[in-house]
Amino acid sequence: MTDATSAASRILELRSELDQHNYRYYVLDEPSIPDAEYDRLFRELQALEAEHPELVTPESPTQRVGGEALSAFGEVRHEVPMLSLGNAFEDEDLRAFDRSVQSGLGLQGGDLFGGGVEVEYSCEPKLDGLAVSLLYRDGQLVRGATRGDGSTGEDITSNVRTIRNVPLKLQGEGWPQVLEVRGEVFMPKSGFEELNARQAEIGGKTFANPRNAAAGSLRQLDPKITASRPLEFCCYGVGQVSGELPGTQVTMLQQLKSWGIPISRELKLAKGIEACFDYYRDIGERRMSLAYDIDGVVFKVNTIEDQQQLGFRARTPHWAIAHKFPAQEELTELLDVEFQVGRTGAVTPVARLNPVKVAGVMVANATLHNMDEVARLGVMIGDTVIIRRAGDVIPQVMQVVLERRDPSVVRPVQIPSECPVCGSAVERTQLIKRSKGKESLSEGSVYRCVGRLSCQAQLKQAIIHFVSRRAMDIEGLGDKTIEQLVDEKLIGSPADLYKLTYEQIIGLEGFAEVSSNKLLKAIADSRKPTLARFIYALGIPDVGEETAKVLARSLASLARVRQALPQVLTYLPDIGLEVAHEIHSFFEDEHNRQVIDALLGECGLQLQDEGGLNAEFTAIATLGGMLDKLNIPSVGPGAAQKLAERFISLEGVLAGDWLDMRQTLPEKQAKAVRDFFDNTENARLARAIEQQLREFGMHWESEKKVVEGLPLAGQTWVLTGTLELMSRDVAKDKLEALGAKVAGSVSAKTTCVVAGPGAGSKLAKANELGVRVLDEAQFVAALGEYGVQA
Ligand code: IVH
């Protein structure tokens, strides 16, 4: 066998194997090999085809990637017109449809009780995508077309070929020579979310919903773009067919499935219209959890002969109907945008709408999230907008209908410079980002009122949060009461709750003797919260219950939480730099400090589990890691690690001289480190972090110890000159106990030289070779790093 013939047979083998796996994966939903194995086979085929381009055929699974870009789509005439469906919105519409089917088939009054005979209907979800026709000749996909106006569509063959679950070649046997299958091309919800996220990241176009995304992806002149989009196909019928297919809608679809055409997993047969209602309700309940959007279900008279007998009226069949779900999207006008102030001061735009019924509920307000979203939507007051309300989700503004914009009426949405509630300044949040050892600030998408608890809106929300069940759990204090307390200036902070008197409470709306006493008792009973509850109740931005628990468990005292430096907080599980800064600045805030002091002082709060540090908390602090957290400009984790290895202790680094640093790091970084620590603020911060890590009981160990057991394993030290605090022998013992070898002469392999007064040639040699040198004080400090006393 020649090389080429063996390649040819392997290519055929691989293609048929890959086709089989595609079929199992996309049509049967039962993959039999892991994705990685599939990829391996695929790459093998790609490689063989690259070696033998003459063996590439259009139906090879490698040929989905998208061919040449077109300048325009060609036209396709539909031999059998592509029709649409009549709609049923109300139950009665569906009953009327059933009656007309019965009469059309001459079944009315068919039984003794005049109830008619039950018609069998196929039930399918109505996918919200685009109708597409796929033409197979001799089992090969030869053409894909859009519906267009029903008689003429666009030729999108190159694009449909890129859709993973569209077979390029039919499976099995017995298919008619000409087989045109029809169905919906759609984008699953997850793929839509990912696509939008990807698009947003690269500053590309985002889509309002999966349907638009599917349409935009399918109608691309460049099939490579289509290939990169997560489209799927689902077949619901046929067009042109040479020869016979099974005689019912359900059996026909099942036959298509056996040839590799994907059909709906939700396909069911219903006997009688009541069973159709059941199907509608069942799918309706599961609508949100389906992987794709549907806008209703489709019922079709199951027997094809009956379908033919019933025929068509203009553009819709008499034998099928779409039973629609209430629309989730509606058009309305954006009357105004108001700004709400949340618990943490976030000032968020809220759309005031001309009220409209969406999915059965009147909607007058919708969220706009933040100003970035306003910018993304390009929405202006006075615009016509698409509102979506899906399930229990808050109504959202999805899109502006630009065609309906009247430029003389619309005006831009502007973030107020002052808080609409308290008049304090409104500032844009800053995001702290870190990359390559650089901390940089960028603008966040949230604006905040800086008024904190002096802002009544924030105060109300803060107290509502403070008393809530998972926080201080004060029962009997509803939102309305809190609003009244704040409005009447009876409380100005959470601490004031504990100063409320019986007279004040009974004066509130809805309070009588019993309820007032009950509330007083509930407030008194809340005085012994756990530390975690208390931290959570404070309402620190970005600190939810979980983070509060982490803080409580790890630091075990409010005092430590209050003092903790942001860099130290980032050692705790799941606390990033951003949150660490929020926590730190919350406790730095003068007003917050006063409130907390009052709560723990005059209000008599006692935190339950204050106490010693938890032994279970075992973060390991390393010098390299800590240096990295300092965010020295242009110094990343690698360089920080080198510094740590070279200088062994923070004091060593702080005292490290320029020449020495340059031995360790490239000049630019060495200079950056020197400059950084020459700033006394930075040196102080570094010392403070180190000290706090110790105080907080973190294990302070060298990287080496973690890896190899002993901290100085593999290192070679040299002692020279006179040591004043200990004898050379004692120093040697200590070094050896830490795993170091102590040598008598200096070489390039020497890790470190400890030089006391009177050191001579060994010190000179060390300097010449650029070996790190410690004086005795630095040496003692270094030993201290490893918990060894001098
Ligand atoms: S049958 C003659 N079945 O809905 C029957 N259509 O308004 C033609 N659609 O253009 C269509 N799911 O894009 C049928 N299971 C389904 C469907 C479905 C979605 C779409 C299709 C069609 C439109 C009809």
Side-chain angles (χ1 to χ4, degrees):
M1 209 162 43
T2 67
D3 211 28
T5 52
S6 74
S9 69
R10 180 64 184 151
I11 283 176
L12 290 180
E13 213 171 87
L14 284 166
R15 282 180 195 160
S16 113
E17 204 175 329
L18 286 164
D19 283 344
Q20 268 303 319
H21 291 309
N22 268 333
Y23 174 63
R24 295 192 65 102
Y25 186 91
Y26 288 113
V27 182
L28 302 183
D29 238 339
E30 297 169 343
S32 58
I33 54 166
D35 291 359
E37 177 62 10
Y38 179 92
D39 294 343
R40 204 191 57 73
L41 296 171
F42 192 87
R43 282 195 303 270
E44 186 185 343
L45 178 59
Q46 271 182 321
L48 277 174
E49 288 181 345
E51 273 174 48
H52 303 276
E54 73 285 359
L55 296 176
V56 177
T57 57
E59 75 279 1
S60 169
T62 58
Q63 300 304 300
R64 290 186 184 276
V65 281
E68 296 293 299
L70 304 171
S71 55
F73 295 114
E75 269 189 9
V76 169
R77 272 204 63 79
H78 299 299
E79 294 298 328
V80 179
M82 288 183 81
L83 303 168
S84 65
L85 293 166
N87 291 324
F89 294 99
E90 310 294 335
D91 290 4
E92 182 44 34
D93 300 341
L94 195 60
R95 291 188 198 285
F97 165 74
D98 183 45
R99 281 195 300 273
S100 93
V101 167
Q102 301 218 13
S103 82
L105 296 176
L107 298 172
Q108 241 166 3
D111 69 11
L112 287 173
F113 308 99
V117 171
E118 290 189 326
V119 176
E120 278 189 344
Y121 293 103
S122 83
C123 310
E124 304 158 25
K126 187 170 188 297
L127 292 166
D128 205 2
L130 295 96
V132 161
S133 140
L134 304 177
L135 185 63
Y136 289 87
R137 265 185 214 286
D138 299 318
Q140 310 272 338
L141 175 66
V142 292
R143 194 198 70 191
T146 63
R147 188 178 102 128
D149 63 5
S151 354
T152 314
E154 286 171 321
D155 187 332
I156 50 163
T157 309
S158 319
N159 291 349
V160 294
R161 291 177 60 86
T162 70
I163 300 174
R164 303 292 180 279
N165 74 343
V166 167
L168 300 177
K169 201 172 128 233
L170 295 179
Q171 299 270 319
E173 51 199 31
W175 15 265
Q177 201 211 349
V178 176
L179 175 64
E180 181 197 356
V181 301
R182 290 176 175 180
E184 204 82 347
V185 166
F186 62 98
M187 193 178 285
K189 293 176 196 170
S190 59
F192 162 73
E193 302 291 345
E194 281 160 31
L195 171 64
N196 259 2
R198 229 187 315 142
Q199 291 289 101
E201 217 164 84
I202 59 167
K205 176 181 163 52
T206 57
F207 298 93
N209 53 45
R211 209 205 84 85
N212 290 5
S217 303
L218 196 58
R219 296 196 67 265
Q220 286 284 342
L221 289 167
D222 182 356
K224 292 206 175 57
I225 298 179
T226 311
S228 73
R229 305 284 173 82
L231 294 174
E232 283 181 33
F233 174 75
C234 177
C235 166
Y236 52 65
V238 293
Q240 230 185 315
V241 183
S242 64
E244 289 288 304
L245 288 177
T248 68
Q249 172 75 9
V250 171
T251 52
M252 180 215 25
L253 289 178
Q254 279 161 350
Q255 174 70 269
L256 296 179
K257 177 177 174 179
S258 79
W259 289 330
I261 308 276
I263 65 170
S264 174
R265 293 217 277 166
E266 306 290 345
L267 173 68
K268 295 251 156 64
L269 185 63
K271 207 165 158 41
I273 203 69
E274 294 311 320
C276 292
F277 279 113
D278 291 343
Y279 181 83
Y280 176 80
R281 272 188 296 271
D282 172 56
I283 298 264
E285 277 163 23
R286 292 188 292 119
R287 184 180 184 187
M288 287 307 134
S289 56
L290 292 178
Y292 40 82
D293 274 352
I294 58 175
D295 55 356
V297 294
V298 181
F299 302 122
K300 296 172 187 164
V301 170
N302 193 38
T303 308
I304 307 289
E305 243 174 56
D306 289 349
Q307 291 184 2
Q308 282 156 356
Q309 186 178 334
L310 288 161
F312 296 87
R313 184 199 68 214
R315 311 212 59 81
T316 58
H318 285 302
W319 46 267
I321 193 160
H323 193 189
K324 301 287 279 278
F325 292 129
Q328 295 183 314
E329 291 188 358
E330 291 293 346
L331 288 185
T332 190
E333 294 86 53
L334 177 63
L335 302 178
D336 201 0
V337 172
E338 286 172 17
F339 289 87
Q340 270 177 2
V341 185
R343 169 163 69 79
T344 59
V347 177
T348 45
V350 180
R352 302 285 178 229
L353 307 164
N354 196 357
V356 61
K357 207 168 183 180
V358 192
V361 172
M362 281 307 271
V363 173
N365 305 306
T367 176
L368 280 164
H369 301 293
N370 54 48
M371 292 306 284
D372 283 358
E373 176 73 357
V374 170
R376 187 185 73 81
L377 291 165
V379 66
M380 296 176 87
I381 297 164
D383 267 335
T384 297
V385 290
I386 298 175
I387 300 301
R388 183 182 174 89
R389 194 188 79 92
D392 298 330
V393 183
I394 318 166
Q396 270 182 293
V397 177
M398 302 305 293
Q399 203 182 352
V400 178
V401 185
L402 279 177
E403 299 76 35
R404 301 237 186 137
R405 174 177 284 177
D406 178 350
S408 66
V409 178
V410 293
R411 59 196 165 86
V413 179
Q414 262 161 346
I415 184 88
S417 54
E418 283 160 15
C419 170
V421 176
C422 73
S424 300
V426 168
E427 286 175 0
R428 189 164 194 167
T429 51
Q430 308 235 284
L431 292 179
I432 309 161
K433 277 228 187 79
R434 265 204 82 187
S435 79
K436 295 203 195 94
K438 245 192 215 155
E439 204 172 282
S440 64
L441 290 179
S442 63
E443 306 224 293
S445 42
V446 174
Y447 286 81
R448 262 198 211 159
C449 157
V450 300
R452 300 238 182 183
L453 295 189
S454 69
C455 173
Q456 299 232 328
Q458 288 183 64
L459 178 60
K460 284 175 188 171
Q461 300 289 324
I463 292 176
I464 289 170
H465 174 76
F466 186 80
V467 307
S468 64
R469 204 168 54 80
R470 310 197 70 91
M472 300 297 279
D473 193 19
I474 301 178
E475 232 184 285
L477 202 48
D479 296 4
K480 285 273 165 297
T481 307
I482 291 171
E483 284 187 16
Q484 199 188 348
L485 285 167
V486 171
D487 288 341
E488 293 180 11
K489 307 243 162 8
L490 291 172
I491 50 177
S493 84
D496 292 344
L497 282 173
Y498 295 90
K499 298 174 193 156
L500 284 174
T501 64
Y502 177 80
E503 286 70 30
Q504 287 173 325
I505 294 174
I506 201 155
L508 297 169
E509 243 164 74
F511 277 84
E513 203 181 307
V514 176
S515 48
S516 302
N517 279 320
K518 248 177 123 173
L519 178 55
L520 273 178
K521 181 166 183 307
I523 294 173
D525 286 350
S526 74
R527 284 198 167 95
K528 290 187 168 158
T530 62
L531 177 58
R533 264 181 191 270
F534 182 74
I535 295 170
Y536 173 62
L538 291 174
I540 306 164
D542 292 340
V543 176
E545 258 185 297
E546 278 317 305
T547 308
K549 280 184 194 159
V550 165
L551 288 167
R553 224 185 308 128
S554 315
L555 300 181
S557 94
L558 186 66
R560 275 187 285 261
V561 177
R562 289 178 77 168
Q563 287 163 21
L565 295 162
Q567 293 85 348
V568 172
L569 287 170
T570 61
Y571 278 92
L572 307 187
D574 296 325
I575 296 187
L577 199 58
E578 199 78 46
V579 182
H581 276 283
E582 287 287 6
I583 296 168
H584 184 70
S585 68
F586 181 90
F587 289 110
E588 288 276 279
D589 179 84
E590 189 48 39
H591 183 80
N592 291 340
R593 292 163 94 129
Q594 281 172 15
V595 173
I596 294 166
D597 288 342
L599 283 167
L600 298 172
E602 62 233 53
C603 303
L605 258 60
Q606 279 173 353
L607 308 183
Q608 284 312 289
D609 43 0
E610 286 260 342
L613 282 157
N614 198 329
E616 163 197 335
F617 174 63
T618 53
I620 293 172
T622 61
L623 180 59
M626 192 198 83
L627 291 171
D628 180 37
K629 287 200 192 280
L630 287 170
N631 286 321
I632 305 168
S634 83
V635 176
Q641 186 52 36
K642 276 193 203 150
L643 273 177
E645 276 167 17
R646 175 77 175 178
F647 293 99
I648 295 137
S649 73
L650 176 63
E651 288 312 313
V653 178
L654 292 179
D657 71 29
W658 156 243
L659 276 174
D660 229 340
M661 291 214 178
R662 220 181 49 186
Q663 298 284 344
T664 317
L665 297 175
E667 180 151 345
K668 185 171 156 253
Q669 287 183 350
K671 192 164 165 355
V673 173
R674 207 45 280 152
D675 285 352
F676 183 85
F677 287 118
D678 282 347
N679 179 334
T680 52
E681 270 304 305
N682 290 334
R684 199 163 60 203
L685 174 67
R687 287 193 174 104
I689 293 169
E690 188 191 42
Q691 194 192 339
Q692 198 168 70
L693 286 170
R694 272 183 214 293
E695 280 170 14
F696 287 4
M698 283 181 219
H699 298 290
W700 187 262
E701 289 175 280
S702 89
E703 231 89 46
K704 280 263 161 59
K705 176 160 181 177
V706 179
V707 179
E708 293 167 29
L710 288 172
L712 305 184
Q715 298 190 5
T716 306
W717 288 57
V718 173
L719 302 165
T720 181
T722 320
L723 298 185
E724 285 162 350
L725 298 172
M726 63 184 97
S727 71
R728 273 217 228 161
D729 280 336
V730 172
K732 185 166 182 257
D733 286 348
K734 289 186 190 297
L735 282 168
E736 283 172 351
L738 291 168
K741 245 173 56 190
V742 179
S745 64
V746 176
S747 78
K749 292 210 178 87
T750 309
T751 313
C752 191
V753 172
V754 179
S761 63
K762 289 182 193 171
L763 176 59
K765 181 95 185 272
N767 284 333
E768 187 191 309
L769 292 170
V771 172
R772 162 103 193 99
V773 177
L774 296 180
D775 63 24
E776 194 177 7
Q778 289 169 331
F779 175 54
V780 169
L783 289 177
E785 294 292 345
Y786 303 113
V788 175
Q789 294 287 307

